[in-house]
Amino acid sequence: MGSLKENYASKLPGLREEIGGLVKANRDVVLSEATVGMAYGGMRGIKGLICDTSEVSPEKGLIIRGIPLLEITHLIPEEIFYLLVMGDMPTDADTQGIKDEFNARAGVPSYVWDVLRAMPDDSHPMAMISIGIMAMQKESEFAKAYAAGVKKTEYWESTMEDSLNLLAKLPEMAAGIYRIRFNKGDLIPYDPSLDWGGNFANMMGVPDPDGALADLMRLYLTLHCDHESGNVSAHVCHTVGSALSDAYYSLSAGLNGLAGPLHGLANQECLAFVLEMIDRYDGAPNDEQLTEYCWEILNGGKVIPGYGHAVLRVTDPRFTAQVNWGKERIPEDPVFQTVAKMFDLVPGILKEHGKAKNPWPNVDAASGSLVYHFGIKEFSYYTVLFGVSRAMGVLAQLIYNRSLGAPIERPKSVTTDFVKEFVAGKG
Ligand code: NMX
Ligand code: MLT
Protein backbone atom coordinates (compact mmCIF):
# COMPACT_ATOMS: atom_id res chain seq x y z
CA MET A 1 0.00 0.00 0.00
CA GLY A 2 1.05 3.60 -0.50
CA SER A 3 1.13 6.56 1.85
CA LEU A 4 -2.06 7.95 3.38
CA LYS A 5 -2.03 10.65 0.71
CA GLU A 6 -1.65 8.14 -2.13
CA ASN A 7 -4.36 5.91 -0.71
CA TYR A 8 -6.75 8.83 -0.28
CA ALA A 9 -5.96 10.12 -3.78
CA SER A 10 -6.92 6.75 -5.26
CA LYS A 11 -10.19 6.69 -3.34
CA LEU A 12 -11.22 10.26 -4.08
CA PRO A 13 -12.46 10.07 -7.69
CA GLY A 14 -15.00 7.38 -6.71
CA LEU A 15 -16.06 9.36 -3.66
CA ARG A 16 -16.54 12.54 -5.68
CA GLU A 17 -18.57 10.72 -8.29
CA GLU A 18 -20.75 8.96 -5.72
CA ILE A 19 -21.52 12.06 -3.66
CA GLY A 20 -21.77 14.36 -6.67
CA GLY A 21 -24.31 12.00 -8.24
CA LEU A 22 -26.28 11.63 -5.02
CA VAL A 23 -26.61 15.39 -4.57
CA LYS A 24 -27.40 16.03 -8.23
CA ALA A 25 -30.20 13.47 -8.29
CA ASN A 26 -31.73 14.46 -4.95
CA ARG A 27 -30.94 18.13 -4.43
CA ASP A 28 -34.53 19.08 -3.49
CA VAL A 29 -35.41 16.05 -1.36
CA VAL A 30 -36.33 17.22 2.18
CA LEU A 31 -34.01 15.66 4.77
CA SER A 32 -35.30 17.40 7.86
CA GLU A 33 -37.40 20.31 9.00
CA ALA A 34 -36.70 23.02 11.55
CA THR A 35 -39.29 23.94 14.16
CA VAL A 36 -39.35 27.15 16.20
CA GLY A 37 -38.19 25.10 19.20
CA MET A 38 -35.19 23.81 17.26
CA ALA A 39 -34.22 27.26 15.99
CA TYR A 40 -34.21 28.67 19.53
CA GLY A 41 -32.95 25.40 21.01
CA GLY A 42 -29.41 24.98 19.73
CA MET A 43 -30.61 23.44 16.42
CA ARG A 44 -31.01 20.13 18.25
CA GLY A 45 -32.24 17.43 15.86
CA ILE A 46 -31.98 19.41 12.61
CA LYS A 47 -30.32 17.18 10.01
CA GLY A 48 -28.34 19.88 8.23
CA LEU A 49 -24.78 18.58 8.35
CA ILE A 50 -22.97 15.71 6.67
CA CYS A 51 -20.34 13.67 8.49
CA ASP A 52 -18.95 10.42 7.11
CA THR A 53 -16.11 9.85 9.59
CA SER A 54 -18.50 8.83 12.36
CA GLU A 55 -22.09 8.98 13.55
CA VAL A 56 -23.70 9.07 16.98
CA SER A 57 -26.72 6.88 17.46
CA PRO A 58 -28.91 7.96 20.40
CA GLU A 59 -29.24 4.29 21.40
CA LYS A 60 -25.77 2.95 20.55
CA GLY A 61 -23.43 5.90 20.82
CA LEU A 62 -20.37 6.46 18.70
CA ILE A 63 -20.03 4.47 15.49
CA ILE A 64 -16.77 5.08 13.61
CA ARG A 65 -16.98 4.40 9.89
CA GLY A 66 -19.80 1.95 10.50
CA ILE A 67 -18.14 0.14 13.44
CA PRO A 68 -19.57 0.52 16.98
CA LEU A 69 -16.91 1.99 19.25
CA LEU A 70 -16.82 -0.88 21.75
CA GLU A 71 -15.70 -3.21 18.94
CA ILE A 72 -12.59 -1.16 18.22
CA THR A 73 -11.30 0.06 21.58
CA HIS A 74 -8.23 -2.14 21.08
CA LEU A 75 -7.08 -0.02 18.12
CA ILE A 76 -4.24 2.40 18.71
CA PRO A 77 -4.76 6.06 17.74
CA GLU A 78 -2.66 5.76 14.57
CA GLU A 79 -5.07 3.04 13.37
CA ILE A 80 -8.07 5.11 14.36
CA PHE A 81 -6.80 8.13 12.40
CA TYR A 82 -6.31 5.98 9.31
CA LEU A 83 -9.81 4.55 9.72
CA LEU A 84 -11.32 8.02 10.16
CA VAL A 85 -9.67 9.39 7.03
CA MET A 86 -9.90 6.37 4.74
CA GLY A 87 -13.01 4.59 5.97
CA ASP A 88 -11.13 1.26 5.86
CA MET A 89 -9.25 -0.67 8.51
CA PRO A 90 -5.52 -0.11 8.08
CA THR A 91 -3.17 -2.94 7.32
CA ASP A 92 -0.02 -3.22 9.45
CA ALA A 93 1.82 -1.42 6.66
CA ASP A 94 -0.75 1.41 6.66
CA THR A 95 -0.37 1.82 10.44
CA GLN A 96 3.39 1.84 10.11
CA GLY A 97 2.94 4.44 7.38
CA ILE A 98 1.10 6.76 9.80
CA LYS A 99 3.77 6.20 12.46
CA ASP A 100 6.46 7.08 9.90
CA GLU A 101 4.56 10.21 8.85
CA PHE A 102 4.35 11.34 12.48
CA ASN A 103 8.03 10.62 13.13
CA ALA A 104 9.11 12.51 10.02
CA ARG A 105 7.00 15.56 10.95
CA ALA A 106 7.56 15.67 14.73
CA GLY A 107 9.37 18.57 16.38
CA VAL A 108 7.64 21.63 17.82
CA PRO A 109 9.45 24.78 16.59
CA SER A 110 11.40 26.56 19.33
CA TYR A 111 9.44 29.83 18.84
CA VAL A 112 6.31 27.98 20.03
CA TRP A 113 8.00 27.21 23.36
CA ASP A 114 8.97 30.89 23.63
CA VAL A 115 5.34 31.90 23.12
CA LEU A 116 4.06 29.35 25.63
CA ARG A 117 6.67 30.26 28.24
CA ALA A 118 5.76 33.93 27.85
CA MET A 119 2.14 33.26 28.81
CA PRO A 120 1.02 34.16 32.35
CA ASP A 121 1.71 31.46 34.96
CA ASP A 122 -2.00 31.01 35.60
CA SER A 123 -3.03 30.59 31.94
CA HIS A 124 -5.47 27.78 31.32
CA PRO A 125 -3.79 24.85 29.51
CA MET A 126 -6.56 24.98 26.87
CA ALA A 127 -5.69 28.62 26.13
CA MET A 128 -2.05 27.55 25.88
CA ILE A 129 -2.67 24.78 23.35
CA SER A 130 -4.92 27.00 21.29
CA ILE A 131 -2.27 29.72 21.21
CA GLY A 132 0.51 27.18 20.60
CA ILE A 133 -1.35 25.96 17.50
CA MET A 134 -1.98 29.52 16.32
CA ALA A 135 1.69 30.38 16.79
CA MET A 136 2.49 27.69 14.22
CA GLN A 137 -0.03 28.95 11.64
CA LYS A 138 2.75 30.46 9.57
CA GLU A 139 3.82 26.89 8.76
CA SER A 140 0.56 26.20 6.93
CA GLU A 141 1.11 24.42 3.62
CA PHE A 142 -2.48 25.14 2.63
CA ALA A 143 -2.05 28.89 3.14
CA LYS A 144 1.09 28.80 1.00
CA ALA A 145 -0.54 26.68 -1.71
CA TYR A 146 -3.62 28.91 -1.77
CA ALA A 147 -1.48 32.03 -2.12
CA ALA A 148 0.33 30.32 -5.00
CA GLY A 149 -3.01 29.69 -6.75
CA VAL A 150 -3.47 25.94 -6.19
CA LYS A 151 -6.46 24.37 -7.98
CA LYS A 152 -9.62 23.81 -5.93
CA THR A 153 -9.50 20.06 -6.59
CA GLU A 154 -6.07 19.95 -4.92
CA TYR A 155 -6.94 21.90 -1.76
CA TRP A 156 -7.16 18.69 0.22
CA GLU A 157 -3.52 17.74 -0.38
CA SER A 158 -2.00 20.66 1.53
CA THR A 159 -4.81 20.32 4.10
CA MET A 160 -3.66 16.75 4.67
CA GLU A 161 -0.07 17.98 4.96
CA ASP A 162 -1.12 20.53 7.59
CA SER A 163 -3.16 17.92 9.44
CA LEU A 164 -0.32 15.38 9.56
CA ASN A 165 2.12 18.09 10.65
CA LEU A 166 -0.24 19.19 13.41
CA LEU A 167 -0.96 15.67 14.65
CA ALA A 168 2.74 14.81 14.66
CA LYS A 169 3.48 17.81 16.87
CA LEU A 170 0.42 17.93 19.13
CA PRO A 171 1.43 15.32 21.75
CA GLU A 172 4.80 17.03 22.15
CA MET A 173 3.18 20.44 22.44
CA ALA A 174 0.55 19.17 24.86
CA ALA A 175 3.12 17.35 27.01
CA GLY A 176 5.32 20.45 26.97
CA ILE A 177 2.38 22.55 28.14
CA TYR A 178 1.95 20.15 31.06
CA ARG A 179 5.61 20.54 32.04
CA ILE A 180 5.76 24.32 31.54
CA ARG A 181 2.42 25.20 33.12
CA PHE A 182 2.84 22.96 36.16
CA ASN A 183 6.59 23.48 36.73
CA LYS A 184 7.56 19.89 36.02
CA GLY A 185 11.08 20.69 34.85
CA ASP A 186 12.74 20.47 31.45
CA LEU A 187 10.89 19.34 28.35
CA ILE A 188 11.27 15.64 27.49
CA PRO A 189 12.21 15.03 23.87
CA TYR A 190 10.10 13.11 21.37
CA ASP A 191 11.18 9.48 21.04
CA PRO A 192 10.68 8.09 17.51
CA SER A 193 10.76 4.53 18.81
CA LEU A 194 7.48 5.10 20.68
CA ASP A 195 3.96 5.23 19.29
CA TRP A 196 1.79 8.39 19.36
CA GLY A 197 0.10 7.61 22.70
CA GLY A 198 3.20 6.12 24.33
CA ASN A 199 5.22 9.16 23.31
CA PHE A 200 2.64 11.53 24.76
CA ALA A 201 2.69 9.71 28.12
CA ASN A 202 6.48 9.59 28.09
CA MET A 203 6.91 13.29 27.27
CA MET A 204 4.61 14.28 30.15
CA GLY A 205 7.24 12.73 32.42
CA VAL A 206 4.82 11.05 34.81
CA PRO A 207 6.26 7.87 36.38
CA ASP A 208 4.91 4.88 34.48
CA PRO A 209 7.03 1.86 35.51
CA ASP A 210 4.77 -0.82 34.02
CA GLY A 211 3.47 1.14 31.02
CA ALA A 212 -0.09 1.33 32.40
CA LEU A 213 -0.33 5.09 31.80
CA ALA A 214 0.84 4.69 28.20
CA ASP A 215 -1.82 2.01 27.80
CA LEU A 216 -4.48 4.31 29.26
CA MET A 217 -3.30 7.14 27.03
CA ARG A 218 -3.78 5.02 23.90
CA LEU A 219 -7.30 4.14 25.02
CA TYR A 220 -8.05 7.76 25.97
CA LEU A 221 -6.83 9.08 22.61
CA THR A 222 -8.83 6.45 20.75
CA LEU A 223 -12.08 7.05 22.65
CA HIS A 224 -12.25 10.85 22.33
CA CYS A 225 -11.33 11.11 18.65
CA ASP A 226 -14.60 11.95 16.93
CA HIS A 227 -18.32 12.32 17.65
CA GLU A 228 -19.91 13.10 14.29
CA SER A 229 -19.94 16.74 13.21
CA GLY A 230 -22.65 18.55 15.18
CA ASN A 231 -20.72 18.73 18.47
CA VAL A 232 -19.24 22.15 19.21
CA SER A 233 -15.56 21.35 18.50
CA ALA A 234 -16.21 19.60 15.18
CA HIS A 235 -18.85 22.07 14.07
CA VAL A 236 -16.67 25.07 14.84
CA CYS A 237 -13.65 23.51 13.13
CA HIS A 238 -15.79 22.80 10.08
CA THR A 239 -17.34 26.26 9.96
CA VAL A 240 -14.00 28.03 10.24
CA GLY A 241 -12.47 25.63 7.71
CA SER A 242 -15.35 26.20 5.28
CA ALA A 243 -14.07 29.77 4.81
CA LEU A 244 -10.83 28.13 3.63
CA SER A 245 -9.07 29.09 6.81
CA ASP A 246 -6.25 26.57 7.15
CA ALA A 247 -6.06 23.63 9.56
CA TYR A 248 -4.22 25.70 12.21
CA TYR A 249 -6.99 28.32 12.41
CA SER A 250 -9.69 25.67 12.20
CA LEU A 251 -8.29 23.30 14.83
CA SER A 252 -7.49 26.09 17.24
CA ALA A 253 -11.05 27.40 16.91
CA GLY A 254 -12.48 23.92 17.47
CA LEU A 255 -10.41 23.49 20.62
CA ASN A 256 -11.65 26.84 21.91
CA GLY A 257 -15.12 25.34 21.72
CA LEU A 258 -13.95 22.17 23.45
CA ALA A 259 -12.78 24.40 26.33
CA GLY A 260 -16.38 25.14 27.37
CA PRO A 261 -17.69 23.50 30.57
CA LEU A 262 -20.72 22.07 28.78
CA HIS A 263 -18.38 20.40 26.25
CA GLY A 264 -14.84 19.06 26.87
CA LEU A 265 -14.11 21.06 30.01
CA ALA A 266 -16.73 18.92 31.74
CA ASN A 267 -13.95 16.36 32.41
CA GLN A 268 -12.14 18.82 34.69
CA GLU A 269 -15.43 19.86 36.30
CA CYS A 270 -16.25 16.22 36.88
CA LEU A 271 -13.13 15.42 38.80
CA ALA A 272 -13.47 18.64 40.81
CA PHE A 273 -17.00 17.50 41.69
CA VAL A 274 -15.79 14.09 42.87
CA LEU A 275 -12.89 15.52 44.88
CA GLU A 276 -15.11 18.12 46.53
CA MET A 277 -17.40 15.32 47.67
CA ILE A 278 -14.48 13.28 49.02
CA ASP A 279 -13.20 16.37 50.80
CA ARG A 280 -16.58 17.25 52.28
CA TYR A 281 -17.25 13.72 53.59
CA ASP A 282 -13.64 12.97 54.57
CA GLY A 283 -13.38 10.05 52.17
CA ALA A 284 -15.42 8.32 49.50
CA PRO A 285 -19.07 9.31 50.13
CA ASN A 286 -21.69 6.69 50.97
CA ASP A 287 -24.97 6.50 49.04
CA GLU A 288 -26.80 8.99 51.27
CA GLN A 289 -23.96 11.51 51.17
CA LEU A 290 -23.58 11.26 47.41
CA THR A 291 -27.33 11.71 46.95
CA GLU A 292 -27.38 14.70 49.32
CA TYR A 293 -24.48 16.34 47.47
CA CYS A 294 -26.07 15.88 44.04
CA TRP A 295 -29.35 17.41 45.19
CA GLU A 296 -27.50 20.41 46.60
CA ILE A 297 -25.90 20.95 43.18
CA LEU A 298 -29.18 20.56 41.33
CA ASN A 299 -31.12 22.74 43.77
CA GLY A 300 -28.41 25.38 43.33
CA GLY A 301 -29.33 25.46 39.62
CA LYS A 302 -26.08 23.81 38.50
CA VAL A 303 -25.51 20.79 36.30
CA ILE A 304 -23.97 17.49 37.36
CA PRO A 305 -20.90 17.35 35.10
CA GLY A 306 -20.36 14.20 33.07
CA TYR A 307 -24.08 13.43 32.84
CA GLY A 308 -26.53 14.17 30.05
CA HIS A 309 -26.01 14.53 26.32
CA ALA A 310 -27.54 16.39 23.42
CA VAL A 311 -27.84 13.26 21.26
CA LEU A 312 -27.21 10.15 23.37
CA ARG A 313 -30.07 8.54 25.27
CA VAL A 314 -28.06 5.70 26.81
CA THR A 315 -24.81 5.36 28.76
CA ASP A 316 -22.03 6.65 26.53
CA PRO A 317 -19.97 3.65 25.30
CA ARG A 318 -16.88 5.83 25.77
CA PHE A 319 -17.76 5.93 29.50
CA THR A 320 -18.31 2.16 29.50
CA ALA A 321 -14.90 1.55 27.94
CA GLN A 322 -13.21 3.71 30.57
CA VAL A 323 -15.07 2.08 33.47
CA ASN A 324 -14.16 -1.37 32.13
CA TRP A 325 -10.51 -0.30 32.04
CA GLY A 326 -10.72 1.11 35.58
CA LYS A 327 -12.40 -2.03 36.95
CA GLU A 328 -9.65 -4.16 35.50
CA ARG A 329 -6.65 -1.96 36.31
CA ILE A 330 -7.46 0.27 39.30
CA PRO A 331 -10.52 -1.26 41.04
CA GLU A 332 -9.45 -0.18 44.55
CA ASP A 333 -8.85 3.49 43.71
CA PRO A 334 -11.23 5.58 45.91
CA VAL A 335 -11.73 8.29 43.28
CA PHE A 336 -12.55 5.71 40.62
CA GLN A 337 -14.87 3.95 43.11
CA THR A 338 -16.71 7.22 43.67
CA VAL A 339 -17.16 7.64 39.91
CA ALA A 340 -18.54 4.09 39.75
CA LYS A 341 -20.90 4.84 42.64
CA MET A 342 -22.11 7.97 40.87
CA PHE A 343 -23.05 5.77 37.92
CA ASP A 344 -25.25 3.72 40.27
CA LEU A 345 -26.99 6.74 41.78
CA VAL A 346 -26.93 9.83 39.53
CA PRO A 347 -29.18 8.56 36.71
CA GLY A 348 -31.97 7.95 39.25
CA ILE A 349 -31.45 11.39 40.79
CA LEU A 350 -31.54 13.09 37.38
CA LYS A 351 -34.67 11.16 36.44
CA GLU A 352 -36.34 12.35 39.64
CA HIS A 353 -35.11 15.91 38.97
CA GLY A 354 -36.92 15.59 35.66
CA LYS A 355 -35.06 18.04 33.45
CA ALA A 356 -32.21 16.28 31.65
CA LYS A 357 -33.42 14.37 28.60
CA ASN A 358 -30.59 11.91 29.10
CA PRO A 359 -29.76 10.97 32.71
CA TRP A 360 -26.83 8.71 31.75
CA PRO A 361 -23.08 9.38 31.98
CA ASN A 362 -21.13 10.76 29.03
CA VAL A 363 -17.45 10.49 28.07
CA ASP A 364 -16.34 13.03 30.68
CA ALA A 365 -17.68 11.27 33.77
CA ALA A 366 -14.83 8.79 34.22
CA SER A 367 -11.74 10.04 32.39
CA GLY A 368 -10.46 12.34 35.15
CA SER A 369 -10.52 9.58 37.76
CA LEU A 370 -8.31 7.37 35.59
CA VAL A 371 -5.58 9.91 34.91
CA TYR A 372 -5.75 11.18 38.51
CA HIS A 373 -4.77 7.69 39.65
CA PHE A 374 -1.45 8.09 37.83
CA GLY A 375 -0.64 11.33 39.60
CA ILE A 376 -1.88 13.70 36.90
CA LYS A 377 -3.72 15.75 39.48
CA GLU A 378 -3.78 19.10 37.68
CA PHE A 379 -7.33 18.81 36.44
CA SER A 380 -7.31 22.02 34.41
CA TYR A 381 -5.08 19.96 32.10
CA TYR A 382 -7.59 17.22 31.40
CA THR A 383 -9.34 18.88 28.46
CA VAL A 384 -5.98 19.12 26.67
CA LEU A 385 -5.91 15.30 26.61
CA PHE A 386 -9.39 15.34 25.07
CA GLY A 387 -8.26 18.00 22.58
CA VAL A 388 -5.24 16.06 21.31
CA SER A 389 -7.52 13.13 20.59
CA ARG A 390 -10.32 15.23 19.08
CA ALA A 391 -7.81 16.78 16.68
CA MET A 392 -7.78 13.44 14.80
CA GLY A 393 -11.51 13.53 14.11
CA VAL A 394 -11.93 17.19 13.27
CA LEU A 395 -8.87 17.18 11.00
CA ALA A 396 -10.07 14.00 9.25
CA GLN A 397 -13.37 15.84 8.69
CA LEU A 398 -11.52 18.90 7.40
CA ILE A 399 -9.56 16.82 4.87
CA TYR A 400 -12.75 15.06 3.77
CA ASN A 401 -14.78 18.23 3.39
CA ARG A 402 -12.04 20.03 1.52
CA SER A 403 -11.53 17.10 -0.83
CA LEU A 404 -15.22 17.24 -1.71
CA GLY A 405 -15.23 21.00 -2.21
CA ALA A 406 -17.60 21.73 0.69
CA PRO A 407 -18.84 25.32 0.30
CA ILE A 408 -18.55 28.10 2.86
CA GLU A 409 -21.05 27.42 5.64
CA ARG A 410 -23.84 29.95 5.74
CA PRO A 411 -27.22 28.85 7.14
CA LYS A 412 -30.06 31.40 7.14
CA SER A 413 -31.00 33.14 10.36
CA VAL A 414 -34.35 34.82 10.94
CA THR A 415 -35.46 37.53 13.36
CA THR A 416 -37.86 37.06 16.25
CA ASP A 417 -40.26 39.42 14.39
CA PHE A 418 -40.10 37.02 11.43
CA VAL A 419 -40.96 34.11 13.75
CA LYS A 420 -43.88 36.05 15.28
CA GLU A 421 -45.32 36.87 11.86
CA PHE A 422 -44.66 33.36 10.58
CA VAL A 423 -46.43 31.62 13.48
CA ALA A 424 -49.33 34.13 13.31
CA GLY A 425 -49.76 33.23 9.63
CA LYS A 426 -49.91 29.53 10.59
CA GLY A 427 -52.55 30.08 13.31
N1 NMX B 1 -27.32 18.06 35.38
C1 NMX B 1 -28.36 18.89 35.62
N2 NMX B 1 -29.19 19.34 34.66
C2 NMX B 1 -28.98 18.90 33.41
C3 NMX B 1 -27.95 18.00 33.09
C4 NMX B 1 -27.09 17.59 34.12
N3 NMX B 1 -26.06 16.79 33.90
N4 NMX B 1 -28.02 17.74 31.76
C5 NMX B 1 -29.04 18.47 31.28
N5 NMX B 1 -29.62 19.17 32.27
C6 NMX B 1 -30.69 20.16 32.17
C7 NMX B 1 -30.26 21.26 31.19
O1 NMX B 1 -29.41 22.20 31.83
C8 NMX B 1 -31.58 21.82 30.76
O2 NMX B 1 -32.06 22.64 31.80
P1 NMX B 1 -32.94 23.97 31.48
O3 NMX B 1 -34.19 23.45 30.85
O4 NMX B 1 -33.13 24.58 32.81
O5 NMX B 1 -32.10 24.78 30.53
C9 NMX B 1 -32.45 20.57 30.72
O6 NMX B 1 -31.82 19.58 31.54
C10 NMX B 1 -32.62 19.99 29.31
O7 NMX B 1 -31.33 19.79 28.76
P2 NMX B 1 -31.08 18.59 27.73
O8 NMX B 1 -31.94 18.83 26.53
O9 NMX B 1 -31.23 17.28 28.40
O10 NMX B 1 -29.54 18.75 27.39
P3 NMX B 1 -28.85 19.67 26.28
O11 NMX B 1 -28.90 18.93 24.99
O12 NMX B 1 -29.39 21.05 26.27
O13 NMX B 1 -27.37 19.76 26.82
C11 NMX B 1 -25.41 18.86 27.86
C12 NMX B 1 -26.49 18.64 26.80
C13 NMX B 1 -24.34 17.79 27.71
C14 NMX B 1 -24.77 20.23 27.62
C15 NMX B 1 -26.06 18.78 29.26
O14 NMX B 1 -26.57 17.48 29.48
C16 NMX B 1 -25.11 19.16 30.37
O15 NMX B 1 -25.00 20.35 30.68
N6 NMX B 1 -24.43 18.15 31.01
C17 NMX B 1 -23.41 18.44 32.01
C18 NMX B 1 -22.14 18.93 31.35
C19 NMX B 1 -21.44 17.82 30.62
O16 NMX B 1 -21.29 16.71 31.09
N7 NMX B 1 -20.98 18.12 29.39
C20 NMX B 1 -20.16 17.18 28.62
C21 NMX B 1 -20.85 16.62 27.37
C22 NMX B 1 -19.92 15.70 26.63
N8 NMX B 1 -18.81 16.44 26.04
O17 NMX B 1 -17.68 16.13 26.25
O18 NMX B 1 -19.03 17.39 25.29
C1 MLT C 1 -18.42 15.07 22.04
O1 MLT C 1 -17.66 14.11 22.17
O2 MLT C 1 -18.25 15.92 21.14
C2 MLT C 1 -19.47 15.27 23.05
O3 MLT C 1 -20.00 14.06 23.52
C3 MLT C 1 -20.51 16.28 22.69
C4 MLT C 1 -21.44 15.97 21.57
O4 MLT C 1 -21.34 14.98 20.86
O5 MLT C 1 -22.38 16.79 21.41
Side-chain angles (χ1 to χ4, degrees):
M1 290 299 275
S3 66
L4 182 68
K5 204 170 185 180
E6 286 163 347
N7 291 350
Y8 195 76
S10 64
K11 195 186 157 103
L12 192 52
L15 195 61
R16 282 181 174 149
E17 198 180 319
E18 182 194 347
I19 293 180
L22 181 73
V23 177
K24 198 167 166 201
N26 300 288
R27 188 167 294 281
D28 297 324
V29 174
V30 176
L31 203 53
S32 183
E33 49 179 21
T35 63
V36 171
M38 288 162 157
Y40 281 93
M43 299 195 282
R44 210 71 84 251
I46 299 176
K47 296 187 185 77
L49 295 167
I50 300 295
C51 178
D52 285 333
T53 54
S54 70
E55 63 183 297
V56 178
S57 149
E59 294 80 27
K60 295 189 189 131
L62 177 59
I63 299 170
I64 297 180
R65 291 289 193 172
I67 313 171
L69 177 75
L70 291 178
E71 291 176 23
I72 46 173
T73 51
H74 60 284
L75 295 188
I76 60 169
E78 289 89 332
E79 294 172 301
I80 284 283
F81 180 61
Y82 187 95
L83 178 63
L84 285 166
V85 174
M86 290 298 299
D88 309 316
M89 275 297 193
T91 62
D92 289 349
D94 295 327
T95 306
Q96 188 56 48
I98 300 286
K99 288 182 178 175
D100 293 344
E101 292 279 9
F102 288 168
N103 278 344
R105 296 159 188 272
V108 173
S110 61
Y111 62 79
V112 174
W113 300 126
D114 295 341
V115 170
L116 294 174
R117 285 200 176 92
M119 289 183 73
D121 290 346
D122 55 352
S123 297
H124 195 281
M126 283 303 283
M128 294 178 78
I129 196 152
S130 177
I131 285 173
I133 291 167
M134 282 316 307
M136 288 198 301
Q137 185 279 331
K138 73 186 193 69
E139 313 290 343
S140 171
E141 296 298 327
F142 175 81
K144 286 178 209 152
Y146 190 81
V150 66
K151 282 199 291 197
K152 200 171 178 174
T153 50
E154 292 167 11
Y155 285 172
W156 70 271
E157 297 184 26
S158 48
T159 300
M160 186 180 275
E161 288 292 323
D162 283 350
S163 301
L164 288 167
N165 285 336
L166 271 162
L167 289 172
K169 292 168 176 51
L170 269 185
E172 186 183 349
M173 187 192 295
I177 287 170
Y178 182 67
R179 296 191 68 76
I180 293 170
R181 173 63 179 76
F182 301 107
N183 302 314
K184 300 286 180 185
D186 292 342
L187 301 181
I188 297 171
Y190 181 94
D191 179 347
S193 72
L194 299 176
D195 61 291
W196 204 61
N199 231 327
F200 190 178
N202 185 54
M203 289 184 289
M204 284 180 74
V206 178
D208 186 25
D210 59 357
L213 175 61
D215 189 45
L216 174 63
M217 192 68 96
R218 286 181 203 103
L219 178 71
Y220 196 116
L221 295 173
T222 287
L223 297 181
H224 291 76
C225 66
D226 204 33
H227 220 230
E228 65 178 41
S229 71
N231 68 75
V232 170
S233 45
H235 192 192
V236 169
C237 181
H238 170 66
T239 306
V240 173
S242 79
L244 294 185
S245 300
D246 59 52
Y248 294 82
Y249 285 120
S250 307
L251 176 62
S252 175
L255 295 187
N256 291 345
L258 192 71
L262 295 189
H263 192 15
L265 205 82
N267 62 10
Q268 96 168 42
E269 302 283 300
C270 234
L271 195 71
F273 184 96
V274 171
L275 294 180
E276 275 158 27
M277 260 190 303
I278 289 175
D279 188 46
R280 150 102 72 106
Y281 298 112
D282 245 345
N286 62 32
D287 289 11
E288 291 69 38
Q289 291 167 331
L290 198 148
T291 304
E292 173 189 71
Y293 193 83
C294 288
W295 278 110
E296 264 180 45
I297 295 291
L298 293 171
N299 291 336
K302 291 187 268 180
V303 297
I304 300 188
Y307 282 75
H309 201 275
V311 177
L312 290 170
R313 293 297 176 259
V314 290
T315 295
D316 191 331
R318 299 172 297 178
F319 172 84
T320 306
Q322 295 178 68
V323 168
N324 289 346
W325 194 94
K327 280 185 177 155
E328 197 188 315
R329 309 292 281 266
I330 54 165
E332 306 303 333
D333 184 289
V335 177
F336 173 70
Q337 283 180 345
T338 304
V339 165
K341 192 187 278 286
M342 281 183 76
F343 181 37
D344 291 337
L345 297 175
V346 172
I349 296 170
L350 281 175
K351 280 183 199 164
E352 195 182 330
H353 184 241
K355 270 191 170 184
K357 294 190 188 68
N358 173 39
W360 303 105
N362 61 55
V363 67
D364 293 322
S367 56
S369 71
L370 303 184
V371 291
Y372 190 84
H373 175 83
F374 289 92
I376 304 169
K377 300 201 163 171
E378 301 81 3
F379 38 82
S380 66
Y381 185 72
Y382 294 174
T383 312
V384 172
L385 300 171
F386 192 156
V388 172
S389 171
R390 183 52 56 93
M392 290 194 286
V394 300
L395 291 173
Q397 292 186 29
L398 195 71
I399 295 165
Y400 181 90
N401 287 318
R402 215 154 266 189
S403 72
L404 292 173
I408 187 163
E409 189 153 309
R410 183 40 171 110
K412 181 78 187 90
S413 58
V414 293
T415 63
T416 293
D417 282 345
F418 170 91
V419 174
K420 284 183 192 160
E421 283 167 30
F422 188 80
V423 296
K426 294 262 170 198

